[in-house]
């Protein structure tokens, strides 16, 4: 089939030549000591790789009127650009305008760039959303036992994918899905906004994401993932609008994100009960830093509740949470198996919290009745230090599992200011063991042992491999005009 408006070789070459001219001009400009990119007709952005070929959505018949469907324009553009993966890769520019679309799939060595004045609007027409298989580590859809809608932006088995912009917007138009979900009218699971599976080298950055039908950003079974500079906004009562859910991912860095949502701002996962145990892919080597979160009924960062493949070596630092139910919460249950261990948290600034510390060992939610009641999770070596909190209702609620205590919990240098009417039992601890020092109000007896090091609870000195990944500066034509 002949695709309409395919960019010709000459157009592609023209863009390439103008990029070369621009580079020359930029280097001349920097000799002058001027700003590196003085031309408003070009944009600079940072990415794990820059691309040789560029196309604009309108080259493939895109119409940015907010009404016309661009599903075919996105699908045809990316199908065409996928042929350039082996020739230096490609980028698709979403220019200023409102671009209504259903689900589409990404390709390798590819950048989707959303201009700051562009809005991608998710279609509310279900026929624009193909159904895909359930996730093997979950055994069923998260909302419903059957299948699930493909995510708005979906990718599987890819290498080197960038979704970025200079703060362009992706709007999931979630109210349609939330209403139908509340009325219990779905027998399949709602779509996520962005899901990337079985992939390596992923970057999602500098975007504003609003009103996802369900979870916003879901990297799963992937490695080498960088997520930065996202503003994520959903009503605080919207159902399951988790911000970022790294799930069975190795080597991930999440930084400089601002999230307001109806569920956990970040939820770290690795599969559900017997399906997650069998799949056996942990989330490990994860760094989360400079997060700001508002979520009155959920956690700033949840570890679980689906953690059956294990969660290990997570470093969390510099978290601000305001009007949020709890800070870094562990959620698990009998039947999950797996582990949450070697977790390090420092520098949290918290205001208006129900619980500063919360661990839940009886988070009852199972994929089906076939879970193994002997599959007990191992929760061990959980470290929190340097926390300032104000207007707190309960300092801690730590519920381990009877016969399966949560061990080596360490808490140091924590000042908790309480609400005007605080609860009497500030530290409610069952089936937990650990250490503390310099904590106000005074922790429960099971945590009363002094921390061994006078420096407080540990935080690793070494860097994770994902911290060494440097971004390149890419230059592209500014399609603002
Ligand atoms: C995101 O935007 C910030 C500020 O404009 C900039 O410093 C940063 O390099 C950008 N990051 C990426 C990955 O483009
Ligand atoms: C996207 O890829 C998935 C998995 O390969 C497939 O099931 C789905 O139909 C694809 N969607 C589109 C729009 O091509
Ligand atoms: C993607 O990779 C997974 C795991 O390696 C494999 O099971 C699956 O068949 C692959 N899917 C496609 C569409 O290639
Ligand atoms: C991006 O846009 C959002 C929403 O308008 C805004 O709140 C945020 O400050 C912007 N981020 C940057 C880095 O400009
Ligand atoms: C799911 O619902 C649709 C319509 O709401 C119906 O056509 C379909 O048969 C249902 N599928 C199952 C498996 O119940
Ligand atoms: C913590 O993050 C904020 C932005 O979220 C930044 O302004 C501040 O400098 C950071 N503090 C440290 C100690 O890194
Ligand atoms: C303190 O927390 C309570 C809820 O416990 C809230 O209603 C109140 O607005 C908060 N006060 C301040 C000053 O943030
Ligand atoms: C303390 O926690 C236990 C469960 O571990 C709960 O049953 C009890 O109600 C809690 N007590 C208070 C006063 O909150």
């Amino acid at each position: 089939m002949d695709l309409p408006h395919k960019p010709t070789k000459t157009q592609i070459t023209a863009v390439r030549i103008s990029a070369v001219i621009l580079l020359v001009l930029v280097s001349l400009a920097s000799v002058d000591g001027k700003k590196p990119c003085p031309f408003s007709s070009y944009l600079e952005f940072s990415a794990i790789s820059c691309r040789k070929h560029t196309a604009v959505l309108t080259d493939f018949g895109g119409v940015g009127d907010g009404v016309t469907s661009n599903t075919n324009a996105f699908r045809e553009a990316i199908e065409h650009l996928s042929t350039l993966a082996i020739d230096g890769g490609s980028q698709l520019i979403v220019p200023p305008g409102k671009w209504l679309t259903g689900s589409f799939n990404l390709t390798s060595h590819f950048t989707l760039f959303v201009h700051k004045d562009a809005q991608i609007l998710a279609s509310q027409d279900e026929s624009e959303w193909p159904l895909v298989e359930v996730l093997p580590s979950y055994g069923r859809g998260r909302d419903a036992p059957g299948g699930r809608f493909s995510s708005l932006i979906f990718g599987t088995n890819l290498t080197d994918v960038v979704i970025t912009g200079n703060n362009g917007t992706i709007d999931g138009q979630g109210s349609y899905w939330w209403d139908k979900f509340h009325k219990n009218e779905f027998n399949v699971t709602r779509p996520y906004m962005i899901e990337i599976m079985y992939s390596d080298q992923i970057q999602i950055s500098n975007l504003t994401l609003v009103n996802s039908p369900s979870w916003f950003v879901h990297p799963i079974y992937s490695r080498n993932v960088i997520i930065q500079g996202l503003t994520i906004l959903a009503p605080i009562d919207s159902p399951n609008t988790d911000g970022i859910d790294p799930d069975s991912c190795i080597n991930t860095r999440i930084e400089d994100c601002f999230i307001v949502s109806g569920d956990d701002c970040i939820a770290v996962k690795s599969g559900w009960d017997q399906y997650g145990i069998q799949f056996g892919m942990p989330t490990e080597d994860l760094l989360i830093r400079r997060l700001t979160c508002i979520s009155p009924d959920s956690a700033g960062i949840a570890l679980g509740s689906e953690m059956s493949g294990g969660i290990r070596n997570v470093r969390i630092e510099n978290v601000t949470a305001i009007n949020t139910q709890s800070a870094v919460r562990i959620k698990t249950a009998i039947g999950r198996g797996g582990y949450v261990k070697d977790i390090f948290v420092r520098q949290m600034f918290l205001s208006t919290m129900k619980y500063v510390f919360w661990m839940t060992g009886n988070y009852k939610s199972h994929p089906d009745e076939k879970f193994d009641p002997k599959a007990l999770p191992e929760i061990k070596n959980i470290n929190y230090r340097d926390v300032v909190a104000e207007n707190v209702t309960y300092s801690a609620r730590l519920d381990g599992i009877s016969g399966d205590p949560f061990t080596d919990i360490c808490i140091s240098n924590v000042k908790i200011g309480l609400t005007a009417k605080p609860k009497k039992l500030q530290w409610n601890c069952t089936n937990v063991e650990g250490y503390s020092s310099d904590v106000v109000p005074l922790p429960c007896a099971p945590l009363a042992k002094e921390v061994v090091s006078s420096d407080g609870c540990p935080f690793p000195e070494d860097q994770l491999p994902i911290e060494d990944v440097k971004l390149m500066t890419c230059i592209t034509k500014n399609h603002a005009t």
Side-chain angles (χ1 to χ4, degrees):
M1 187 184 68
D2 222 350
L3 303 177
H5 311 291
K6 241 190 240 175
T8 60
K9 260 222 167 79
T10 9
Q11 279 170 323
I12 289 167
T13 316
V15 171
R16 226 182 294 158
I17 291 172
S18 39
V20 170
I21 294 172
L22 174 78
L23 278 172
V24 172
L25 291 175
V26 165
S27 37
L28 290 178
S30 5
V31 172
D32 270 6
K34 287 189 194 136
K35 281 185 71 187
C37 192
F39 309 102
S40 62
S41 55
Y42 288 87
L43 290 173
E44 254 186 40
F45 63 96
S46 322
I48 49 175
S49 2
C50 304
R51 311 300 178 193
K52 186 162 151 192
H53 304 282
T54 298
V56 183
L57 190 61
T58 45
D59 297 343
F60 293 85
V63 179
D65 61 3
V67 182
T68 308
S69 170
N70 291 282
T71 308
N72 287 332
F74 274 107
R75 290 181 187 173
E76 285 171 11
I78 296 170
E79 191 179 313
H80 169 70
L81 294 174
S82 68
T83 62
L84 301 170
I86 49 164
D87 180 34
S90 62
Q91 58 192 1
L92 178 64
I93 311 287
V94 182
K98 291 185 177 177
W99 310 91
L100 183 69
T101 182
S103 164
F104 60 88
N105 286 349
L106 302 176
T107 186
S108 291
H109 305 291
F110 175 75
T111 298
L112 180 70
F113 185 92
V114 187
H115 189 280
K116 71 174 170 32
D117 300 318
Q119 266 182 290
I120 294 179
L121 302 178
S123 167
Q124 297 181 331
D125 174 353
E126 287 179 29
S127 70
E128 300 242 48
W129 301 78
L131 294 177
V132 293
E133 297 275 290
V134 299
L135 296 165
S137 59
Y138 284 71
R140 51 164 280 176
R142 198 65 188 75
D143 292 344
R148 52 193 206 116
F149 287 104
S150 181
S151 301
L152 177 66
I153 300 179
F154 180 71
T156 189
N157 303 65
L158 304 180
T159 305
D160 178 18
V161 185
V162 177
I163 306 172
T164 191
N166 47 359
N167 207 13
T169 299
I170 304 175
D171 182 346
Q173 305 208 91
S175 57
Y176 167 82
W177 305 90
W178 306 332
D179 292 347
K180 212 171 152 179
F181 174 76
H182 282 310
K183 289 193 229 142
N184 205 11
E185 285 174 1
F186 283 124
N187 53 18
V188 288
T189 293
R190 285 167 290 159
Y192 303 140
M193 181 174 279
I194 299 173
E195 181 172 69
I196 313 284
M197 294 178 30
Y198 299 115
S199 296
D200 187 10
Q201 299 165 53
I202 302 167
Q203 174 188 334
I204 304 171
S205 61
N206 285 17
L207 296 166
T208 294
L209 310 179
V210 302
N211 298 336
S212 177
S214 179
W215 301 353
F216 276 86
V217 178
H218 187 219
I220 180 166
Y221 318 138
S222 292
R223 52 178 68 230
N224 303 317
V225 180
I226 295 180
I227 296 176
Q228 60 177 210
L230 298 184
T231 300
I232 296 182
L233 308 171
I236 54 175
D237 59 356
S238 53
N240 312 105
T241 47
D242 300 19
I244 304 168
D245 290 8
D247 196 343
S248 295
C249 281
I250 296 175
N251 215 23
T252 304
R253 166 172 137 203
I254 301 173
E255 58 197 3
D256 299 307
C257 292
F258 178 87
I259 304 176
V260 182
S261 83
D263 210 316
D264 302 322
C265 286
I266 294 180
V268 181
K269 299 177 184 288
S270 65
W272 204 6
D273 286 6
Q274 69 272 28
Y275 305 103
I277 295 170
Q278 194 190 349
F279 197 77
M281 185 168 177
T283 288
E284 58 191 28
D285 300 342
L286 167 64
L287 169 66
I288 300 172
R289 60 187 171 196
R290 300 187 299 270
L291 168 71
T292 302
C293 168
I294 300 175
S295 184
D297 298 315
S298 299
I301 299 171
L303 305 171
S305 80
E306 308 90 332
M307 38 60 70
S308 303
I311 297 176
R312 214 197 106 247
N313 196 15
V314 178
R315 299 155 185 207
I316 297 170
E317 59 184 332
N318 195 351
V319 173
T320 302
I322 303 156
N323 192 15
T324 295
Q325 191 180 35
S326 64
V328 177
R329 179 182 180 192
I330 295 175
K331 303 196 258 190
T332 188
I334 289 172
R336 287 286 191 277
Y339 52 83
V340 176
K341 62 186 181 191
D342 308 331
I343 309 297
F344 306 93
V345 182
R346 69 178 173 196
Q347 294 164 358
M348 294 201 290
F349 312 94
L350 311 172
S351 177
T352 304
M353 311 288 286
K354 185 168 182 193
Y355 305 101
V356 172
F357 302 103
W358 197 9
M359 298 185 187
T360 306
N362 66 343
Y363 199 90
K364 290 187 197 88
S365 125
H366 299 287
D368 53 45
E369 289 312 308
K370 294 190 202 118
F371 67 92
D372 176 3
K374 291 199 213 74
L376 300 178
E378 181 192 18
I379 312 300
K380 192 182 169 67
N381 193 22
I382 315 292
N383 302 278
Y384 303 93
R385 57 176 293 163
D386 311 334
V387 179
V388 179
E390 56 178 37
N391 200 25
V392 166
T393 306
Y394 297 91
S395 296
R397 175 153 182 186
L398 306 177
D399 300 344
I401 295 173
S402 169
D404 177 32
F406 298 175
T407 59
D408 291 321
I409 297 167
C410 182
I411 303 182
S412 70
N413 188 26
V414 175
K415 306 271 171 293
I416 299 174
L418 302 177
T419 51
K421 290 183 193 148
K423 302 292 175 183
K424 246 207 192 102
L425 184 60
Q426 275 298 312
W427 288 76
N428 186 357
C429 307
T430 43
N431 302 304
V432 295
E433 296 163 12
Y435 310 84
S436 62
S437 59
D438 292 316
V439 177
V440 179
L442 220 53
C444 51
L447 301 183
K449 260 182 290 174
E450 187 81 8
V451 177
V452 184
S453 160
S454 62
D455 192 35
C457 304
F459 193 97
E461 297 281 323
D462 64 327
Q463 294 213 331
L464 296 176
I466 195 72
E467 291 184 69
D468 295 332
V469 175
K470 297 274 180 297
L471 302 184
M472 303 164 72
T473 299
C474 308
I475 294 165
T476 189
K477 194 165 174 293
N478 184 359
H479 292 268
T481 46

